[in-house]
Amino acid sequence: MNHYQLNHLKELEAEAIYVLREVAAQFERPVLLFSGGKDSIVLVHLSRKAFHPARIPFPLLHIDTGHNFQETLDFRDQLVARLNARLIVGSVQESIDTGRVTEEQGINASRNVLQTVTLLDTIEKYKFDAAIGGARRDEEKARAKERFFSHRDQFGQWDPKNQRPELWYLFNGKKRMGEHFRVFPISNWTEMDVWQYILAENIDLPSIYFTHEREVFYRDGVWLATAPFMQMKPNEQPEQRRIRCRTVGDISCTGLTLSTADTVEDIIQEIAATRVTERGGRYDDKRSEAAMEDRKKEGYF
């Protein structure tokens, strides 16, 4: 990694740390949305730097669909124990059991969309006024519309046309009772920036990000992992493949990448050569052209 790249990463790090400290200064009950994915892991790392030598001053919130990769859950628990952090888990299964949401049925059923209600219910339960997330503007066109401080109304909904201006890194966190903000400290980072930062800082990740063998099947241009709750069509057959996760979410919608990359350096080379976007393998984004924006307006991550 050359001098220019290191300086670039230091600038991004300083920007993110500034945003995190603004959250701590402006809000009374912030929380960090933690999925167990690389972006939220980087956010935890940045939070440790921002408030060192003190503990991270806000809890971690994981919305558990019940259909997560076990590797992600194991890593989450190990990280929380190592940092002595507070973990709050919102359960989609509990939302289903209490009638707050209705589980989808059929071949393409997913719990990914159901997370929205669970997230908003958990934010309301604990009265969080700012939810810090790892979304980046390069991921998807709806996320490109987000500000660092992204306002949500009293129903937890997002209006991309009604956001506060952010001039000279001045952030307006004022809100009415019942409203909250989503905050995105790594908005200006790219996927490559994240991986180069992980390399430079030697950040641990779940094993699922590196090449391993897994039983998968192919559907509509996407490799998906088999699981007891995953239904296959008659023409779909499970097979063993060497794959890795490029982005991690619910098993039902996380597309897997055929890969031989088993180190961070290999992953960086793989990303530099690919012509497929990071979310190009996300099955949930294929539901409609505006799938992500529709979900975000309802309160999704």
Side-chain angles (χ1 to χ4, degrees), residues 38-46 186 189 194 197-198 203:
K38 67 183 186 310
D39 298 317
S40 60
I41 292 169
V42 165
L43 271 184
V44 171
H45 182 82
L46 289 165
I186 61 172
W189 297 43
V194 170
Y197 187 74
I198 289 168
I203 299 173

Side-chain angles (χ1 to χ4, degrees), residues 232-256:
M232 284 186 281
K233 301 174 184 178
N235 64 328
E236 295 171 344
Q237 297 297 324
E239 53 185 291
Q240 290 287 332
R241 289 278 187 154
R242 287 182 59 77
I243 59 90
R244 73 175 189 87
C245 283
R246 190 172 169 189
T247 176
V248 174
D250 188 289
I251 289 176
S252 65
C253 63
T254 299
L256 305 172

Side-chain angles (χ1 to χ4, degrees), residues 176-193:
R176 297 185 181 90
M177 181 73 71
E179 298 176 342
H180 73 277
F181 279 80
R182 304 289 170 84
V183 181
F184 304 106
I186 61 172
S187 289
N188 288 335
W189 297 43
T190 65
E191 182 187 15
M192 182 63 82
D193 293 330

